[in-house]
């Protein structure tokens, strides 16, 4: 196994502000990078922004800015977001960086010399939004882009072409060389089918706009700029110094690309062909994740359904958010973002299973042993230790296979065993029976499994795991990981430190639905609703025609209210402590008429009577003067 690891995120287009989908890509990379470092690997993590092309040029023009000024601004937003999210990247590359531009020109020059690039005439359709060329057979009806559905434009230009067709066999051979090069496998199979169906040469320059990298001087053709995907893909190489000082090129042979499924073809087909043309080693792994959706639709600014990751992290905490993103959706599949699922994870997995386990340990260790616990052999917990060891050794393969949700699911079994062992062992009874040595043994067992758990969870929740480590008096570092995880060691004694509870339970959603990303802070605090929502409530005036007490209830009255519907409505109202039934007959009340029927003390109720409550008690809300029964209240 190599002692190096190189992980790259996609580089993000600067035509859009960062959303939860971008955050997901980058967080997955951060988790891989942190895990590799903790295992002692020499690690390099690259992220950045993709700044050239017609799409960016148009976006800048729409804002009346130069493309560079516009790119500076949005690229800065991405960088600030990653810094705020404590993303441990080694380089944030911009495709406008001079060393990158040189590298792209160098690649063009090599391919041209080699005969893999030739000049020709392109005639076909182009989607600016996806920066993709399409053949007629690929287009949707009316010439729309098959990826995003937007209209394409007809291009007829003199272009340079890359001989993609010459690489078909070599690509197929590479896919067949290792089943795990492209994950998930279902997507790998799609790529194989695509390449098997034949590859056309790819147009790799444009002449109708300016915002891109010029051809190398040696090509002597100044009106062309290099196609944005050749430019963008090259970032993975140029970032390591391929075009200049090569000090980080040692990472190249250990590359993992993390991308979204929408850009798999560019990576698994074009990029592999470009690298083969450049005679460079191919990546070890291309891992394509699914999309985050909102109510089933892909998130996008134009749909107004984007989730702002900063708001989610501010409301719920950055690390619970990271845990949720990785735990809730299998890598490679789409996931729908919802606060309920996030809250359930926080309350059940984090507060209950993990937080509570640490609290129980610290609480008992303090009460019974002044926080110092010691047990030399742990003879009583043989079965449990075996179960923990088995889980620990099953985890690495899951991580390596990018099954991060399964990794967390299995890891959590460690904490569940911890809680169950405490409950079954009843340490409080053992203390009463003067068996404190057995209780110390239990607590040492629990402290050990928490230490192992923290080492394994640290790439996902680094700060929370530092807190656990502080409480246990262990370190989260490569030597400790080696001893407790790889070598399966168990610690004999702990000197613990009391810390604050790790996680607070969340009782109700903290962000306004449906536009968590867009609702203003004020709206979130004051719970405002729109007129549309209010208009859904049907309020009516009606006279009480019958009223009696509900048996065995001091509070409830059973009313029949005439809402002008022919038959009176039966309504159970909680006003029995304030009104005698007889006094209500013939008087008018205000009613919510379209409430879902409910049962109160076993009696069906088909509406709700409005009342006002203050320190003087409760009074019915009534019309100022008599109105026709059934009149609407607006
Ligand atoms: O494609 N759910 O940039 P990009 C999950 N510049 N991930 C999402 C997502 C969503 N709803 N939306 C976007 C580009 N992403 C090119 C890449 S790489 C050499 C060039 C993620 O800003 C997904 O990983 O349009 C997507 O591939 C990436 O953001 C970049 O999107």
């Amino acid at each position: 196994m190599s002692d190096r690891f190189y992980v790259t995120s996609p580089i993000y287009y600067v035509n859009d502000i960062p959303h939860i989908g971008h955050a997901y890509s980058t967080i997955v990379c951060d988790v891989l990078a942190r895990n590799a470092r903790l295992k002692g690997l020499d690690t390099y993590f690259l992220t950045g922004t993709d700044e050239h092309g017609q799409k960016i040029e148009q976006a800048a023009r729409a804002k009346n800015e130069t493309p560079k000024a516009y790119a500076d601004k949005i690229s800065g937003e991405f960088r600030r977001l990653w810094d705020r999210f404590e993303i441990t990247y080694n380089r944030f590359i911009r495709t406008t960086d001079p060393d990158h531009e040189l590298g792209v020109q160098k690649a063009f020059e090599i391919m041209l010399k080699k005969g893999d690039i030739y000049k020709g005439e392109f005639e076909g359709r182009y989607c600016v939004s996806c920066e993709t060329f399409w053949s007629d057979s690929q287009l949707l009806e009316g010439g729309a882009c098959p990826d995003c559905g937007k209209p394409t434009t007809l291009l007829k230009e003199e272009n340079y072409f890359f001989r993609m067709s010459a690489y078909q066999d070599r690509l197929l051979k590479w896919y067949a060389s290792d089943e795990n090069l492209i994950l998930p496998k279902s997507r790998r199979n799609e790529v194989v089918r695509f390449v098997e169906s034949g590859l056309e040469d790819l147009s790799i320059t444009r002449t109708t706009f300016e915002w891109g990298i010029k051809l190398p001087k040696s090509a002597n053709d100044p009106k062309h700029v290099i196609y944005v995907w050749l430019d963008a893909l090259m970032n993975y190489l140029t970032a390591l110094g391929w075009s200049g000082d090569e000090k980080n090129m040692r990472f190249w042979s250990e590359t993992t690309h993390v991308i979204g499924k929408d850009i798999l073809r560019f990576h698994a087909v074009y990029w592999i062909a470009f690298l083969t043309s450049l005679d460079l080693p191919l990546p070890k792994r291309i891992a394509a994740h699914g999309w985050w959706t909102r109510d089933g639709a892909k998130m996008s600014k134009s749909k107004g359904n984007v989730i702002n990751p900063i708001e989610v992290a501010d409301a719920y905490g950055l690390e619970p958010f990271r845990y949720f993103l990785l735990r809730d959706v299998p890598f490679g599949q789409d996931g729908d973002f919802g606060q309920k699922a996030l809250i359930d994870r926080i309350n059940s997995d984090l507060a209950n299973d993990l937080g509570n386990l640490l609290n129980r340990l610290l609480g008992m260790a303090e009460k019974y042993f002044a926080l110092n616990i010691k047990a030399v052999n742990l003879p009583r917990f043989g079965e449990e230790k075996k179960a923990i060891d088995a889980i620990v050794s099953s985890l690495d393969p899951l991580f390596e296979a990018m099954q991060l949700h399964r990794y967390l699911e299995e890891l959590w079994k460690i904490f569940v065993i911890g809680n169950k062992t405490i409950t079954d062992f009843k340490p409080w009874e053992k203390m009463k029976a003067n068996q404190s040595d057995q209780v110390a043994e239990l607590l040492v067992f629990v402290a050990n499994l928490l230490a192992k758990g923290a080492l394994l969870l640290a790439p996902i929740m680094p700060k929370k795991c530092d807190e656990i480590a502080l409480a246990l008096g262990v370190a989260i570092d490569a030597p400790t990981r080696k001893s407790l995880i790889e070598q399966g060691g168990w610690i004999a004694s702990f000197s613990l430190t009391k810390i604050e509870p790790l996680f607070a339970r969340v009782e109700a959603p903290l962000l306004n639905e449906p536009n968590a990303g867009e609702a203003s802070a004020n709206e979130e605090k004051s719970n405002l609703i729109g007129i549309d929502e209010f208009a859904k409530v049907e309020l009516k005036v009606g006279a009480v025609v019958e009223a009696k007490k509900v048996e065995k209830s001091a509070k409830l009255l059973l009313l029949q209210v005439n809402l002008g519907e022919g038959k009176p409505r039966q309504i159970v109202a909680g006003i029995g402590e304030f009104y005698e039934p007889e006094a209500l007959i013939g008087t008018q009340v205000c009613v919510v008429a379209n409430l879902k029927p409910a049962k109160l003390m076993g009696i069906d109720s088909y509406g709700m009577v409005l009342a006002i409550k203050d320190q003087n008690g409760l009074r019915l809300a009534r019309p100022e003067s008599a109105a026709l029964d059934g009149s609407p209240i607006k």
Side-chain angles (χ1 to χ4, degrees):
M1 211 189 100
S2 167
D3 60 353
R4 270 162 286 148
F5 181 67
Y6 178 36
V7 61
T8 69
S9 83
I11 50 170
Y12 303 99
Y13 281 132
V14 291
N15 68 325
D16 205 355
I17 49 161
H19 61 62
I20 195 174
H22 306 126
Y24 179 64
S25 268
T26 306
I27 287 171
V28 168
C29 295
D30 188 58
V31 168
L32 300 192
R34 285 180 187 263
N35 190 61
R37 287 190 202 106
L38 195 49
K39 284 167 96 177
L41 304 186
D42 187 14
T43 301
Y44 199 91
F45 167 15
L46 174 71
T47 189
T49 42
D50 188 356
E51 307 186 2
H52 290 125
Q54 200 171 359
K55 174 158 73 172
I56 310 299
E57 194 181 76
Q58 287 176 353
R61 196 176 303 134
K63 297 256 173 196
N64 244 338
E65 291 180 54
T66 64
K68 182 63 169 57
Y70 179 71
D72 285 348
K73 199 171 65 193
I74 311 269
S75 177
E77 284 193 34
F78 274 97
R79 194 174 180 137
R80 269 191 299 282
L81 175 63
W82 304 150
D83 289 342
R84 180 140 175 221
F85 273 20
E86 293 159 25
I87 298 295
T88 56
Y89 58 83
N90 293 85
R91 177 168 175 185
F92 185 99
I93 193 169
R94 302 181 55 183
T95 52
T96 47
D97 287 343
D99 62 336
H100 170 76
E101 298 198 347
L102 276 177
V104 174
Q105 291 175 330
K106 172 176 160 184
F108 193 96
E109 208 160 22
I110 295 174
M111 292 170 179
L112 190 67
K113 267 201 195 126
K114 203 173 170 182
D116 271 345
I117 289 178
Y118 64 93
K119 204 169 178 176
E121 171 93 342
F122 178 82
E123 186 167 358
R125 295 278 192 182
Y126 191 74
C127 172
V128 176
S129 178
C130 299
E131 298 282 15
T132 307
F133 299 95
W134 298 108
S135 65
D136 284 348
S137 62
Q138 291 170 312
L139 293 171
L140 299 180
E141 222 170 288
C145 168
D147 266 3
C148 70
K150 292 187 187 149
T152 52
T153 42
L154 186 65
L155 285 187
K156 190 171 174 173
E157 300 179 47
E158 178 195 83
N159 274 182
Y160 286 83
F161 286 82
F162 177 80
R163 262 185 232 288
M164 195 66 73
S165 54
Y167 284 89
Q168 183 174 4
D169 292 345
R170 277 173 278 184
L171 289 177
L172 290 172
K173 223 188 236 164
W174 185 65
Y175 305 141
S177 68
D178 179 350
E179 284 223 314
N180 296 314
L181 287 171
I182 300 170
L183 291 179
K185 280 189 194 149
S186 55
R187 297 215 186 285
R188 167 195 179 270
N189 298 339
E190 283 169 24
V191 170
V192 173
R193 279 195 296 277
F194 174 78
V195 175
E196 277 172 349
S197 72
L199 292 176
E200 288 176 25
D201 289 351
L202 179 70
S203 163
I204 50 158
T205 65
R206 302 287 312 276
T207 54
T208 48
F209 65 94
E210 306 242 303
W211 182 235
I213 300 177
K214 297 264 180 234
L215 301 199
K217 287 228 165 58
S218 59
N220 196 18
D221 210 345
K223 56 178 195 300
H224 290 259
V225 293
I226 293 175
Y227 173 44
V228 64
W229 269 103
L230 172 56
D231 168 352
L233 289 162
M234 282 298 298
N235 91 90
Y236 302 133
L237 262 181
T238 58
L240 298 181
W242 182 66
S243 60
D245 100 55
E246 296 198 341
K247 68 176 190 303
N248 288 318
M249 278 302 286
R250 69 179 187 285
F251 290 104
W252 179 250
S253 56
E254 302 305 325
T255 302
T256 289
H257 295 307
V258 174
I259 53 167
K261 64 180 182 181
D262 47 333
I263 55 174
L264 179 58
R265 189 155 37 89
F266 297 98
H267 285 77
V269 183
Y270 299 176
W271 182 225
I272 301 305
F274 296 154
L275 285 170
T276 310
S277 172
L278 295 172
D279 290 319
L280 284 163
L282 302 179
K284 283 268 156 69
R285 159 87 33 103
I286 301 177
H289 63 71
W291 280 343
W292 281 93
T293 58
R294 195 64 199 273
D295 304 320
K298 188 178 183 222
M299 254 174 252
S300 78
K301 205 157 97 183
S302 55
K303 286 195 197 119
N305 65 351
V306 291
I307 311 265
N308 180 342
I310 294 182
E311 287 185 12
V312 181
D314 280 354
Y316 291 96
L318 173 59
E319 298 202 354
F321 179 42
R322 281 168 70 106
Y323 172 78
F324 166 77
L325 289 175
L326 296 173
R327 173 65 186 85
D328 223 52
V329 175
F331 184 88
Q333 290 180 23
D334 292 348
D336 210 49
F337 180 84
Q339 292 188 77
K340 184 175 178 313
L342 171 57
I343 292 171
D344 285 351
R345 289 279 169 214
I346 292 176
N347 290 345
S348 138
D349 301 6
L350 301 183
N352 233 20
D353 295 342
L354 174 55
N356 199 23
L357 181 60
L358 183 67
N359 274 350
R360 292 172 94 181
L361 168 70
L362 295 178
M364 285 189 279
E366 183 179 40
K367 187 165 163 202
Y368 303 144
F369 304 105
L371 290 170
N372 288 305
I373 51 176
K374 199 155 132 194
V376 180
N377 285 324
L378 299 180
R380 268 173 198 80
F381 300 101
E383 281 307 305
E384 290 83 354
K385 275 178 70 180
K386 237 195 256 163
I388 303 282
D389 288 340
I391 295 169
V392 168
S393 51
S394 74
L395 289 176
D396 215 34
L398 292 173
F399 198 98
E400 288 305 313
M402 297 292 298
Q403 300 254 323
L404 300 175
H405 73 294
R406 288 273 303 113
Y407 175 91
L408 287 169
E409 188 180 31
E410 289 303 302
L411 170 54
W412 240 251
K413 289 184 182 163
I414 294 182
F415 305 134
V416 171
I417 291 175
N419 276 313
K420 183 169 183 315
T421 310
I422 295 177
T423 306
D424 292 350
F425 200 71
K426 300 194 176 69
W428 41 94
E429 287 182 7
K430 298 267 188 311
M431 288 307 289
K432 276 191 205 138
N434 282 333
Q435 292 168 325
S436 66
D437 51 338
Q438 291 191 23
V439 175
E441 209 177 314
L442 168 79
L443 298 188
V444 167
F445 167 72
V446 172
N448 266 288
L449 69 83
L450 274 165
K452 288 171 192 271
L455 283 159
L456 292 160
L457 185 59
I460 293 110
M461 305 183 76
K463 286 221 164 123
K464 290 292 174 192
C465 291
D466 281 346
E467 286 179 45
I468 299 173
L470 173 80
L472 300 177
V474 297
I476 304 266
D477 57 18
T480 315
R481 189 185 196 280
K482 188 159 190 200
S483 131
L484 294 192
I485 304 298
E486 272 111 86
Q487 296 167 345
W490 290 77
I491 299 173
S493 66
F494 290 84
S495 174
L496 304 171
T497 303
K498 201 85 196 278
I499 60 164
E500 292 293 306
L502 287 174
F503 305 100
R505 287 181 64 83
V506 179
E507 300 303 340
L510 301 171
L511 294 171
N512 255 1
E513 295 281 0
N515 279 330
E518 293 182 342
S520 77
N522 281 344
E523 278 176 338
E524 277 174 31
K525 282 195 194 103
S526 58
N527 267 342
L528 295 179
I529 59 164
I531 186 79
D532 297 354
E533 277 170 278
F534 176 69
K536 288 185 194 156
V537 184
E538 243 176 61
L539 296 169
K540 287 184 178 172
V541 174
V544 178
V545 291
E546 266 183 61
K548 59 180 181 185
K549 285 191 184 301
V550 169
E551 252 181 69
K552 293 192 195 138
S553 169
K555 283 192 180 157
L556 297 181
L557 296 186
L558 177 59
L559 309 178
Q560 303 293 335
V561 182
N562 182 15
L563 293 181
E565 299 167 321
K567 189 171 161 242
R569 285 268 191 122
Q570 173 165 301
I571 296 176
V572 180
I575 54 175
E577 287 170 308
F578 303 93
Y579 287 92
E580 288 303 323
E582 310 76 60
L584 290 172
I585 295 175
T587 64
Q588 282 192 315
V589 290
C590 298
V591 171
V592 181
N594 62 339
L595 209 59
K596 277 190 192 148
K599 258 195 198 329
L600 292 145
M601 301 272 295
I603 305 171
D604 289 322
S605 177
Y606 299 93
M608 190 171 77
V609 171
L610 297 186
I612 303 137
K613 195 171 185 187
D614 64 8
Q615 73 273 22
N616 298 321
L618 180 138
R619 275 143 296 152
L620 286 164
R622 299 169 187 271
E624 194 180 40
S625 57
L628 212 58
D629 281 343
S631 300
I633 303 172
K634 291 285 179 194

